[in-house]
Amino acid sequence: MKIRILTSIILSLTFLKVSGQFFDESQSPLRVKWHYINHQGFKIIFPSPIEKDAQRMANTFSYIYPRLASDLQLHKTDYPVILQNQGTSANGFVQLAPKKSQFYTISPQNFDSQDWLNNLAVHELRHVAQYQKILGPSNFPLSDRLRFAYLGISTPLWFLEGDAVLTETKKTNAGRGRQPSWIMPFRTQLLSGKTPSYSKAYFGSERSVEVGYYQLGYLLNAQLHNTLGEAASNKLMTELAKPKIVPYPFSQSLKKLSGKSTRQFYLQTVKQLQVAWQAQADSTPHISYTAINRPHQYESNYLFPVQTEQGDLLALKQSKKRSPCLVRISPKGKEEVLINIGYQEEPWFSYANGKIVWDEFRADARYKQRSYNVVCSYNLLTGEKTQLSHKNRLFAPRLSADGSKIIAVNINWDNKAELQILDSQTGHTISSIKNPENFHLQAPAFDEQGDKITWISVCEEGKSLWLAQGAHKRQLISNTRQQIDKPIFRGDKIIFNAHYNGLDNIYQIDTATLEVKALSAAKFGAFNASISTDGQQMFFNNYDISGYNIASDYINEKAIGQNHFVNFVASQKSNENIFEQIPDSTFQSKPYRAFSHTINFHSIVPLTDEPGEKWGLQLQSDDLLNTTSIRLASSYLSSLGRWTHEAQLSYKALYPIIDLAYLNRPRAGYYRFGKQLHHAQWREDVFSLKLSVPLSINHFDRQWTWKADLSTYLVNRHFEASEKGKLIETVRFPMSYRLAFGQSSRKAERDIAPPWAQQFEFNYQSFPFDSNRSGELFSIQSYFYFPGLLANHSFLASFQYQHLSKNFAGSLAIDPVYGYYQIKALSPLINNLRLHYRFPLLFNDWELGSIAYIRNLKAGLFCHYENIGHDKMAKAPKSFGLELSSDMNLLRYTPIATLGTRLIFVNKIYQQKPIFELLFNYFF
């Protein structure tokens, strides 16, 4: 119960950003009309507005799968793929239980130099091939969840993701392995003498810059292929397909093939990376830039620096210590927070003439597959913040020099992009620039007069830089594999990011001659240039061991220099681009009726309870659109020697979620008849219904949540003839009502809890339809979070109250205070007040071999009161004490476990020695 309540609170009060491989249980709105195409093992399910994309993917999947899986000796597969067009988060995943892949078709503002859906196709279908190779064909029906669990136990995420990135880099003309900025954090650490341990490189850090398990995986997989040959992936996955009853079987399989454990192989790879990257550094001249922002001991990023007319600098600050915010830095280095901002798909803001604009993510209140990207503004003079647009999909807004107009990328529901010009006061659309080629569009910008526009387009052939004036537009750079980004005007020249010399730097192109010159020569990477108010200098982000700092330099053109980028797949066999000869067939598209695909049984899983008294199996069904879940289970109760049978149905397509359940179970108990105590056994049927409406919205850095539940049940008991008439045979529709609502501010990575948050929950239960029972249960639970004395500290005050009468007497609607699960109470529980102060002690990043990676050490103090106003002893704490805990990764597995201890001192009237508790929890 404690874990369940705590989990509910945390999920209600925190923002979650999810990426990579994950389970998604959200729904699309009912109005979405779904169609499907069946072709060569792929069932492609898609909304009707993006049929053109679905037809293209039907051709693509069947053509590329044999080519990207050939090294694993696989040639065909059978997988459903869902194309989602309702959201604004660009992503993709592959899962089992149920088996499906999901593509989020909207393109991001900063990605590879190829078509977005092609990028997803090669990466996600490689995951399909991995699953097929490691888990084998589904010879055992209804085993998806167990097979997926084995994949999680046997194979680290870095291997799966790294192998997919290696495949996209080898099999296409693009791929993240060709981007210096993508592996820049790891390169920076090694060349700065800060080699992270294997666990720190894999799991990340709450203190310093993270390598990223995608990047780590790519480099380790490339090393595998360089040392063991092109068949390395096939050999390793073949070994992993052999079940081993040992912890972390991946390391054993790797050692069998390479002679080295995972950690040893990592250290060997690091040595070779250091040599290769040092040689690149020695061959690439660089300038040491001094940071303008104050130095910091933990990772902090000051993104998109720009100078105001008063000489201050503005930047978007991100750090592990506090949530993202816009800051102003004075010429003397004093830093002032202007405004906290909400979740962004990608970091971004623009400044001009006293105004700031940026884009933020907005989730649909109920259907989380649907989301929006809106434009927000802030007036630097008045401090007023405004949301300019609503329920649209606008990205990378940039102001004109006079601050009167905004240009942004608009992406329609049919996945077609255009440039849209908005009034910066009202947010209304002034005009738009069409995109007949349907390129992906990125980072548009006005010139100083607001007459010319530049932007970047992306297609399968590469990236292009454009210039437009009126109806005339032309390409300045055409179909390059350079990671060009964030263009701005400087007179008749355009400044942008690229990696011509093998590192990300700032470059300039003359719009008349098309000559490209370098403007920076950073050691690790330079990005996001802006021009000073006098036009003589540029401010930009210079990357180093502590993150993205602010630097400045006079604008001097330099030669581009030679490209010494270290391509870790260059020495390997290079296949031709698998997208070169995609067929262009047209397939029959049919309506996809979600209701007719409701039943989709995929797994049988074991069931047990905490005491180990209940053992059984559950059959699970989930449809592909996350609208219907069915659970059928039978379990054996050892204490009674009888079986329990249950069925559950959850229908989530409507605005309220409908949960229906049936339970047939054995029961036993004692009853008094006359003067004698009798023992009875019976079976009972329990029919239950629950309606719930979960809602949540976000606005700037705040999130609001609401949930309303209504539930009832009917119980029919089947007694032996000797008990009939002596016990109540029917419990008729007791009613339960629950209303919960709250709001919270956005958390930083290091925060124990949201700095500001309130959560309330009201519960009421009664028996309005049952003459045999009476009474009421009413409870209130409230939680108030406040900032602590120092950064990342948290103070929680929680008040809870319950009123119980008649048949509810003896129940618990609220939790006792700490320690009183072990002690018999002397008086009924009416209310409690809980005071908690929690704070981080260390962010240690300790690696204890393969046993544990200890991420941090946290502490807390608590003081609990009970029955305030109803008990003479309520003036003294009922219990108080302290707790210590640490978040860690155990046995090199990804789930984070919290291990801790709590020492509880109880009220002296109980004559109880201090209670010592051990705490353990884990989460994904």
Side-chain angles (χ1 to χ4, degrees):
M1 180 65 73
K2 287 182 182 178
I3 294 174
R4 182 167 62 86
I5 293 173
L6 180 61
T7 302
S8 299
I9 295 169
I10 292 172
L11 290 178
S12 298
L13 294 179
T14 56
F15 290 81
L16 300 177
K17 179 179 179 180
V18 192
S19 60
Q21 307 308 111
F22 62 99
F23 285 98
D24 173 56
E25 297 182 350
S26 55
Q27 296 80 45
S28 292
L30 269 176
R31 71 183 186 190
V32 175
K33 304 300 181 184
W34 296 93
H35 286 68
Y36 75 97
I37 296 170
N38 272 327
H39 180 58
Q40 293 190 11
F42 291 98
K43 184 173 188 177
I44 303 168
I45 304 166
F46 58 94
S48 54
I50 58 170
E51 173 149 354
K52 186 175 180 180
D53 286 329
Q55 292 284 350
R56 181 164 67 90
M57 288 297 101
N59 283 286
T60 301
F61 292 165
S62 59
Y63 181 81
I64 71 170
Y65 185 78
R67 290 159 178 82
L68 63 84
S70 60
D71 64 315
L72 303 182
Q73 300 175 351
L74 300 172
H75 305 289
K76 60 181 180 178
T77 190
D78 177 14
Y79 233 84
V81 179
I82 302 168
L83 305 182
Q84 292 280 2
N85 76 326
Q86 295 291 304
T88 55
S89 296
N91 212 332
F93 68 88
V94 178
Q95 70 168 65
L96 294 173
K99 179 176 76 172
K100 67 178 178 180
S101 179
Q102 195 149 282
F103 287 19
Y104 295 88
T105 57
I106 196 166
S107 61
Q109 279 296 294
N110 183 19
F111 76 103
D112 216 343
S113 57
Q114 66 179 18
D115 177 84
W116 169 243
L117 285 179
N118 283 358
N119 180 290
L120 278 181
V122 67
H123 186 95
E124 302 306 333
L125 294 191
R126 181 62 178 191
H127 284 313
V128 171
Q130 293 166 352
Y131 292 7
Q132 187 176 352
K133 185 67 178 182
I134 297 173
L135 301 177
S138 185
N139 295 327
F140 297 96
L142 304 176
S143 62
D144 280 5
R145 193 168 292 277
L146 293 178
R147 295 167 70 233
F148 208 29
Y150 173 74
L151 185 74
I153 292 171
S154 66
T155 313
L157 273 176
W158 68 254
F159 175 72
L160 298 174
E161 296 298 351
D163 175 74
V165 174
L166 180 64
T167 301
E168 74 184 50
T169 305
K170 292 175 62 176
K171 298 284 187 177
T172 74
N173 289 330
R176 281 168 282 185
R178 293 188 171 92
Q179 299 176 17
S181 60
W182 191 69
I183 53 175
M184 179 179 63
F186 199 15
R187 179 178 182 272
T188 303
Q189 290 191 53
L190 296 191
L191 293 184
S192 300
K194 302 286 186 180
T195 302
S197 68
Y198 166 71
S199 294
K200 186 174 181 178
Y202 182 14
F203 300 119
S205 169
E206 294 177 6
R207 182 175 60 187
S208 58
V209 173
E210 298 183 4
V211 171
Y213 61 83
Y214 278 77
Q215 291 86 340
L216 173 70
Y218 163 71
L219 294 167
L220 292 181
N221 274 280
Q223 177 71 0
L224 274 171
H225 283 231
N226 286 333
T227 56
L228 301 179
E230 292 293 309
S233 296
N234 184 52
K235 291 177 181 178
L236 190 48
M237 291 187 203
T238 300
E239 280 296 316
L240 291 171
K242 303 173 184 176
K244 300 176 180 64
I245 310 177
V246 295
Y248 201 60
F250 177 85
S251 190
Q252 187 182 85
S253 299
L254 179 62
K255 190 167 187 177
K256 182 177 179 180
L257 293 177
S258 68
K260 291 180 172 57
S261 67
T262 306
R263 180 177 174 275
Q264 291 169 341
F265 191 82
Y266 165 75
L267 293 175
Q268 179 197 57
T269 303
V270 163
K271 288 182 180 179
Q272 296 195 21
L273 292 174
Q274 287 173 323
V275 171
W277 279 334
Q278 188 60 56
Q280 179 190 11
D282 293 340
S283 303
T284 308
H286 71 270
I287 298 172
S288 295
Y289 298 107
T290 302
I292 295 175
N293 52 278
R294 290 181 176 177
H296 35 84
Q297 297 179 340
Y298 47 87
E299 180 190 7
S300 294
N301 299 315
Y302 292 82
L303 299 173
F304 312 110
V306 60
Q307 189 177 45
T308 69
E309 292 78 2
Q310 292 74 34
D312 299 327
L313 287 173
L314 303 178
L316 171 56
K317 183 178 180 180
Q318 297 178 326
S319 79
K320 298 175 183 292
K321 191 174 181 179
R322 64 156 299 142
S323 60
C325 58
L326 292 168
V327 297
R328 176 165 49 196
I329 302 173
S330 71
K332 294 182 178 181
K334 182 181 178 181
E335 185 175 308
E336 173 193 1
V337 174
L338 296 175
I339 183 175
N340 296 318
I341 67 171
Y343 172 68
Q344 296 182 286
E345 296 291 353
E346 294 174 17
W348 176 249
F349 86 96
S350 171
Y351 168 80
N353 197 25
K355 295 180 182 178
I356 300 173
V357 297
W358 68 97
D359 55 338
E360 283 189 4
F361 170 89
R362 293 288 185 268
D364 182 84
R366 167 64 179 87
Y367 296 104
K368 297 307 177 187
Q369 283 289 358
R370 180 170 59 189
S371 60
Y372 309 98
N373 219 62
V374 301
V375 177
C376 303
S377 73
Y378 177 80
N379 189 307
L380 204 59
L381 299 178
T382 65
E384 180 185 5
K385 63 179 180 181
T386 307
Q387 181 176 319
L388 288 175
S389 68
H390 302 268
K391 292 190 175 181
N392 47 26
R393 296 157 28 129
L394 295 169
F395 298 86
R398 193 187 288 270
L399 285 159
S400 59
D402 62 0
S404 64
K405 296 183 293 185
I406 300 170
I407 187 167
V409 176
N410 178 57
I411 303 180
N412 300 318
W413 297 105
D414 57 0
N415 253 13
K416 293 181 179 178
E418 64 181 12
L419 298 180
Q420 205 164 84
I421 299 175
L422 314 173
D423 184 289
S424 68
Q425 291 292 339
T426 65
H428 294 157
T429 301
I430 299 173
S431 62
S432 60
I433 299 175
K434 300 302 180 184
N435 174 27
E437 304 90 349
N438 199 26
F439 294 142
H440 307 292
L441 304 181
Q442 298 176 345
F446 290 108
D447 73 343
E448 290 85 343
Q449 290 73 39
D451 299 326
K452 300 177 182 177
I453 297 171
T454 184
W455 70 91
I456 292 166
S457 71
V458 189
C459 63
E460 184 54 37
E461 286 70 36
K463 285 194 166 190
S464 298
L465 179 66
W466 292 79
L467 173 65
Q469 184 172 18
H472 177 69
K473 63 179 182 179
R474 63 189 177 104
Q475 286 181 318
L476 305 180
I477 299 174
S478 178
N479 295 335
T480 180
R481 296 299 172 182
Q482 285 289 313
Q483 193 66 8
I484 57 175
D485 193 20
K486 304 296 185 294
I488 61 169
F489 280 93
R490 178 177 170 256
D492 291 330
K493 299 178 181 180
I494 295 175
I495 296 174
F496 57 95
N497 302 341
H499 61 278
Y500 287 103
N501 73 336
L503 297 175
D504 284 270
N505 269 292
I506 296 166
Y507 296 87
Q508 179 175 267
I509 185 171
D510 188 309
T511 58
T513 66
L514 303 186
E515 183 180 19
V516 176
K517 292 289 186 177
L519 297 184
S520 72
K523 183 176 182 180
F524 302 116
F527 309 84
N528 310 325
S530 67
I531 307 302
S532 62
T533 54
D534 63 10
Q536 302 302 308
Q537 298 182 73
M538 66 175 181
F539 295 95
F540 59 95
N541 284 131
N542 179 55
Y543 190 83
D544 64 20
I545 191 65
S546 61
Y548 291 88
N549 290 298
I550 301 175
S552 67
D553 195 10
Y554 286 98
I555 299 176
N556 293 311
E557 294 184 346
K558 309 170 183 65
I560 288 178
Q562 292 185 331
N563 186 348
H564 298 286
F565 175 67
V566 181
N567 187 348
F568 293 99
V569 300
S571 61
Q572 301 170 23
K573 181 181 177 182
S574 179
N575 297 1
E576 65 178 276
N577 180 14
I578 59 174
F579 294 119
E580 281 184 348
Q581 298 179 352
I582 301 295
D584 190 22
S585 302
T586 300
F587 306 100
Q588 184 180 12
S589 167
K590 299 179 181 179
Y592 183 83
R593 313 292 183 189
F595 189 78
S596 62
H597 295 84
T598 293
I599 299 176
N600 179 35
F601 286 108
H602 55 76
S603 300
I604 295 178
V605 298
L607 282 181
T608 186
D609 59 1
E610 289 183 8
E613 159 187 331
K614 179 180 177 181
W615 301 91
L617 294 173
Q618 184 182 79
L619 179 62
Q620 299 180 344
S621 167
D622 295 276
D623 74 323
L624 297 178
L625 297 180
N626 302 325
T627 59
T628 308
S629 296
I630 299 172
R631 301 291 185 263
L632 305 175
S634 289
S635 52
Y636 183 75
L637 298 181
S638 57
S639 60
L640 296 178
R642 296 187 178 184
W643 287 86
T644 293
H645 311 289
E646 54 190 312
Q648 302 172 20
L649 169 68
S650 181
Y651 187 66
K652 295 165 282 190
L654 305 176
Y655 217 74
I657 296 173
I658 303 172
D659 291 303
L660 297 170
Y662 166 73
L663 174 64
N664 177 273
R665 63 184 177 186
R667 299 297 299 272
Y670 289 91
Y671 68 96
R672 187 173 294 279
F673 189 75
K675 295 184 179 181
Q676 295 184 342
L677 192 65
H678 300 266
H679 181 263
Q681 287 191 343
W682 69 92
R683 294 194 74 86
E684 64 184 26
D685 296 313
V686 183
F687 304 88
S688 64
L689 166 67
K690 179 180 178 182
L691 303 177
S692 60
V693 181
L695 302 174
S696 65
I697 61 172
N698 64 297
H699 187 66
F700 294 105
D701 67 328
R702 296 277 170 168
Q703 178 160 317
W704 288 264
T705 60
W706 299 267
K707 188 172 185 181
D709 294 344
L710 183 152
S711 59
T712 187
Y713 60 88
L714 171 68
V715 179
N716 288 321
R717 292 168 176 157
H718 309 288
F719 296 107
E720 299 290 338
S722 59
E723 272 88 32
K724 280 188 174 291
K726 300 176 183 178
L727 297 170
I728 296 174
E729 296 185 10
T730 305
V731 179
R732 293 184 178 87
F733 305 112
M735 299 301 296
S736 176
Y737 309 88
R738 173 178 174 261
L739 177 64
F741 59 91
Q743 71 89 26
S744 69
S745 58
R746 188 176 179 184
K747 282 180 60 179
E749 184 176 342
R750 286 183 168 187
D751 282 340
I752 301 290
W756 297 95
Q758 300 83 41
Q759 178 82 5
F760 302 90
E761 183 177 318
F762 300 89
N763 287 281
Y764 177 73
Q765 297 180 39
S766 63
F767 298 95
F769 307 109
D770 196 332
S771 59
N772 296 316
R773 291 174 175 249
S774 62
E776 295 179 322
L777 180 154
F778 175 70
S779 69
I780 301 174
Q781 298 179 57
S782 62
Y783 305 87
F784 300 88
Y785 289 88
F786 304 95
L789 298 175
L790 299 175
N792 311 119
H793 289 214
S794 176
F795 175 68
L796 166 65
S798 172
F799 180 77
Q800 303 184 20
Y801 166 81
Q802 67 176 16
H803 169 73
L804 311 169
S805 65
K806 298 181 181 179
N807 281 99
F808 288 105
S811 302
L812 273 181
I814 61 176
D815 285 336
V817 299
Y818 285 174
Y820 284 81
Y821 277 107
Q822 295 90 346
I823 303 172
K824 185 177 181 181
L826 299 180
S827 58
L829 175 60
I830 299 173
N831 63 52
N832 63 49
L833 173 65
R834 303 171 178 223
L835 305 175
H836 292 254
Y837 191 89
R838 298 184 174 97
F839 52 96
L841 287 174
L842 292 172
F843 299 99
N844 38 342
D845 298 342
W846 289 341
E847 184 178 51
L848 302 181
S850 61
I851 302 299
Y853 172 60
I854 301 175
R855 309 167 70 93
N856 54 41
L857 182 64
K858 299 176 290 186
L861 304 172
F862 60 87
C863 182
H864 293 180
Y865 296 84
E866 203 171 83
N867 292 346
I868 298 172
H870 297 271
D871 193 328
K872 294 180 180 179
M873 301 303 297
K875 294 181 180 180
K878 194 75 178 285
S879 67
F880 61 93
L882 54 91
E883 57 190 14
L884 290 172
S885 65
S886 177
D887 296 329
M888 59 187 70
N889 299 88
L890 299 174
L891 301 176
R892 292 188 173 142
Y893 283 116
T894 305
I896 297 176
T898 300
L899 184 63
T901 181
R902 180 182 294 142
L903 182 62
I904 306 170
F905 299 92
V906 300
N907 195 301
K908 62 182 180 180
I909 65 172
Y910 284 87
Q911 298 182 357
Q912 171 73 40
K913 294 181 179 179
I915 297 171
F916 180 75
E917 292 183 346
L918 291 175
L919 311 173
F920 179 76
N921 194 11
Y922 71 93
F923 56 93
F924 292 86

